[in-house]
Amino acid sequence: MVTTMVIPSAVRYQGEVAQSLVSVKAAGADATVQADLVKAISTSLAGLKKAVDGLEHALEHAGSGDLYDHAKHMQKEVLFAMLEVRKHSDHLETLVADDHWPLPTYREMLFIK
């Protein structure tokens, strides 16, 4: 879901904000808000990409056949990697406009519109 929905949506929104940044600068107005938002989205996307790569690496673990060792790996490595992905994805949810976000937000799930 992250690679097929979250990242593409955040990139599209980032592109719109970047276009707005160019337009506002061309008009001679202060574009600090747009610049800060583009930077924040870029930082979160970079962190999310790194976290997804870490999760994929953790999932490549081939257990030795020992169920207990495999469960320990899942708890220590995979769960941690999943939490990293979630942290960055949750942050992007706060930055990306609702009409660009492809998934229900926490607010929508808790307080149905």
Side-chain angles (χ1 to χ4, degrees), residues 3 37 56 60-61 67 69 74-77 82 97 110:
T3 58
L37 184 53
E56 289 173 350
E60 291 172 356
H61 174 262
L67 187 59
D69 286 342
M74 296 300 276
Q75 177 195 23
K76 290 184 177 183
E77 303 296 327
M82 290 172 68
L110 293 173

Side-chain angles (χ1 to χ4, degrees), residues 88-104:
H88 294 287
S89 183
D90 287 351
H91 186 248
L92 277 170
E93 181 182 328
T94 67
L95 299 173
V96 175
D98 283 346
D99 60 333
H100 285 72
W101 193 252
L103 303 168

Side-chain angles (χ1 to χ4, degrees), residues 93 97-99 101-113:
E93 181 182 328
D98 283 346
D99 60 333
W101 193 252
L103 303 168
T105 63
Y106 286 123
R107 182 182 65 230
E108 290 169 347
M109 288 189 283
L110 293 173
F111 309 104
I112 298 173
K113 288 183 177 182

Side-chain angles (χ1 to χ4, degrees), residues 13-105:
Y13 183 63
Q14 180 185 35
E16 284 188 22
V17 176
Q19 287 177 343
S20 173
L21 172 63
V22 170
S23 298
V24 170
K25 280 185 174 182
D30 181 18
T32 304
V33 172
Q34 291 87 341
D36 289 349
L37 184 53
V38 168
K39 184 176 180 179
I41 293 170
S42 295
T43 301
S44 289
L45 280 169
L48 183 57
K49 174 66 172 124
K50 183 178 178 183
V52 167
D53 290 346
L55 176 58
E56 289 173 350
H57 179 71
L59 289 170
E60 291 172 356
H61 174 262
S64 61
D66 183 5
L67 187 59
Y68 181 73
D69 286 342
H70 185 67
K72 282 175 48 178
H73 172 76
M74 296 300 276
Q75 177 195 23
K76 290 184 177 183
E77 303 296 327
V78 175
L79 183 59
F80 173 76
M82 290 172 68
L83 291 172
E84 278 297 302
V85 169
R86 174 145 184 209
K87 177 179 79 172
H88 294 287
S89 183
D90 287 351
H91 186 248
L92 277 170
E93 181 182 328
T94 67
L95 299 173
V96 175
D98 283 346
D99 60 333
H100 285 72
W101 193 252
L103 303 168
T105 63

